Amino acid sequence: MVYEIQNGESGMVRKSSFKYNSPFVQVCLIGMVCFCCPGMFNALSGMGGAGQLDKTASNNALTALYTAFAIFGILGGGIYNVLGPRLTLVSGCSTYVLYAGSFLYYNHYHHQAFVIVAGANLGVGAGLLWAGEGAIMTSYPPPHRKGVYISLFWSIFNMGGVIGGLIPFILNYHRSNASSVNDATYIGFMCFMLAGTLLSLAILPPNSVVRDDGTRCSTIKYSKVSTEVVEILKLFLNWKMLLIAPAAWASNFFYSYQFNNVNGTLFTLRTRGLNNVFYWGAQMLGSAGIGYLLDFSFKSRRMRGFFGIGVVALLGTAIWGGGLANQLNYSHHNIPPSLDFKDSGSSFAGPFVLYFSYGLLDAMFQSLVYWVIGALANDSEILSRYVGFYKGVQSAGAAVAWQVDSQKVPMLTQLIVNWSLTTVSYPLLAVLVLLAVKDETPTDQEGTTTTSSGNNKPLDDDSRPNLSH
């Protein structure tokens, strides 16, 4: 891909930040797409068992989902480079509607087969959606403001979890002892997901996006399948991706523990929905906070990276330590009475604050990893592959995690593994920042580079030997 300056009489194409083809509007649009689709999916999963008292069907569906996601997450970047954003996103979004509909079916017939097939189908679609989202979110913004744009996206996206949490809370408010949420809950999720599918058609390709300084994001020539196959295979020997792999594996591994063994085990049905409102709201706060630190805390981009890693590591240690203290009070063989936000008094406060804190940490951890990936290049073709690799490894970890929970592995063991995985990630991310993230140059600040030959290297491309070749 080639970054270019669009010349006119004044030398630049002048565009407002609020024009349809600006990075700001396009990042907001992809945020709204994810608000409607994965945001609602997160709210559905966050209830524990997808709103069912028996978590078996949900666990099996999510195992199928993340197994397929692991494959198509890695392939998704290549597919995005061949199909472009609109076809990739609309194909991915449509699978979310079917998944929510499968639980509407399960509410009546209690047959797992349809739910599991819909889960596998969603795994394919999620791989496409998140590869496209990652390429847009990391390549469209100006290089020196990627943290702000990542936090903007994350806040819009997680507002979907907030609104999605209100759906089961409101519709099941008087059903605190019910075994599953009602049909209207799943229908509400389906309506939002369908809206997100239609909204994905509004996303523009990179060569149509114009930054605030008048420069176009990039000129894109869509890739070939053979090229993408080779480039994707190279990722598995790319030293940068190998350093990111533990963080990628950890970043969704903890969901099964938090959703099923904290929210799904400790609280009543209606309270789970209320908790999710605050869990995903905490994600908005966390992403905004870490985004600010990663863009404005120090002049040096590398120092900002080190500082962000340090902050998340300290906060993560404190939160998982609190989780350990809470987990010592119960197990699979010693389930306490369900807590209700109205009836349980002060006993509700501690577990509620812990669950809120888990949401805060999740957003900060994932936003940090996205920022590091975004600092490795500016080219959407390269970044789509990087993000695809990240999502693929992330989903492989999630597939294992949901099956671990379905096998009734002790809750304390699950917590210790989750804490260990995230802790191992921090020094490896610090090494990656040290070796591969460069401080910004004046060219980076403008977000464009040109040469007379037109054969431009992606910005921030590491000049060190690439071990993938």
Side-chain angles (χ1 to χ4, degrees), residues 102-117:
S102 72
F103 280 97
L104 178 62
Y105 168 87
Y106 185 81
N107 238 13
H108 292 273
Y109 300 102
H110 298 284
H111 297 154
Q112 287 191 42
F114 180 32
V115 178
I116 294 171
V117 170

Side-chain angles (χ1 to χ4, degrees), residues 121-412:
N121 182 60
L122 176 54
V124 176
L128 301 182
L129 171 59
W130 282 106
E133 173 275 334
I136 291 166
M137 190 176 65
T138 55
S139 67
Y140 285 20
H144 60 295
R145 289 292 176 265
K146 289 190 177 183
V148 170
Y149 277 81
I150 289 171
S151 65
L152 171 66
F153 162 81
W154 210 263
S155 296
I156 297 172
F157 156 49
N158 283 302
M159 181 59 75
V162 173
I163 302 300
L166 286 173
I167 292 173
F169 174 67
I170 293 171
L171 295 178
N172 298 275
Y173 183 83
H174 298 293
R175 305 175 70 245
S176 59
N177 296 318
S179 60
S180 68
V181 298
N182 57 20
D183 289 355
T185 302
Y186 295 118
I187 293 171
F189 284 129
M190 291 172 69
C191 290
F192 274 102
M193 291 169 175
L194 179 60
T197 303
L198 297 175
L199 189 60
S200 67
L201 296 171
I203 301 297
L204 294 175
N207 59 326
S208 298
V209 178
V210 182
R211 295 194 175 111
D212 294 349
D213 62 0
T215 59
R216 288 191 184 273
C217 177
S218 68
T219 298
I220 182 171
K221 292 183 179 179
Y222 289 119
S223 185
K224 297 184 297 184
V225 173
S226 58
T227 300
E228 292 305 318
V229 169
V230 172
E231 293 301 322
I232 288 170
L233 290 175
K234 287 180 180 179
L235 293 174
F236 291 91
L237 296 177
N238 187 316
W239 64 275
K240 300 173 187 176
M241 295 299 99
L242 294 179
L243 287 173
I244 282 176
W249 184 276
S251 60
N252 270 189
F253 200 87
F254 46 66
Y255 279 160
S256 61
Y257 171 77
Q258 293 174 2
F259 293 163
N260 282 356
N261 298 326
V262 180
N263 198 33
T265 298
L266 295 180
F267 302 98
T268 61
L269 183 68
R270 66 179 181 181
T271 305
R272 295 183 213 169
L274 178 66
N275 289 348
N276 273 336
V277 172
F278 286 92
Y279 181 93
W280 300 112
Q283 298 240 355
M284 297 168 64
L285 296 176
S287 63
I290 194 65
Y292 181 85
L293 293 179
L294 290 170
D295 275 356
F296 298 107
S297 57
F298 293 92
K299 185 176 181 180
S300 163
R301 174 161 58 182
R302 188 175 290 168
M303 283 301 300
R304 297 197 303 268
F306 290 142
F307 185 61
I309 293 169
V311 169
V312 176
L314 287 173
L315 187 64
T317 300
I319 291 173
W320 283 113
L324 175 62
N326 180 70
Q327 185 58 71
L328 293 174
N329 296 321
Y330 68 99
S331 67
H332 284 303
H333 305 293
N334 180 30
I335 302 297
S338 297
L339 298 169
D340 188 82
F341 76 101
K342 286 186 68 176
D343 303 330
S344 299
S346 60
S347 300
F348 169 75
F352 169 78
V353 170
L354 174 65
Y355 192 63
F356 176 91
S357 300
Y358 279 143
L360 189 77
L361 179 61
D362 177 26
M364 296 182 74
F365 186 84
Q366 293 209 56
S367 296
L368 173 66
V369 179
Y370 269 114
W371 181 90
V372 173
I373 293 173
L376 300 178
N378 287 330
D379 190 310
S380 65
E381 189 174 44
I382 293 172
L383 288 172
S384 66
R385 298 182 193 123
Y386 284 180
V387 173
F389 179 88
Y390 168 71
K391 297 302 294 186
V393 175
Q394 180 189 70
S395 302
V400 172
W402 287 106
Q403 202 52 226
V404 164
D405 187 63
S406 70
Q407 298 302 315
K408 302 298 181 183
V409 172
M411 297 178 184
L412 181 60

Side-chain angles (χ1 to χ4, degrees), residues 41-102:
F41 166 83
N42 284 346
L44 180 62
S45 300
M47 290 186 294
Q52 301 289 323
L53 185 63
D54 183 355
K55 305 178 182 69
T56 304
S58 174
N59 280 354
N60 290 335
L62 288 168
T63 299
L65 189 162
Y66 284 108
T67 300
F69 196 170
I71 298 170
F72 280 87
I74 293 172
L75 297 177
I79 295 172
Y80 171 86
N81 289 338
V82 173
L83 298 181
R86 284 176 177 157
L87 279 177
T88 303
L89 293 173
V90 76
S91 299
C93 289
S94 60
T95 61
Y96 284 83
V97 186
L98 181 64
Y99 181 76
S102 72

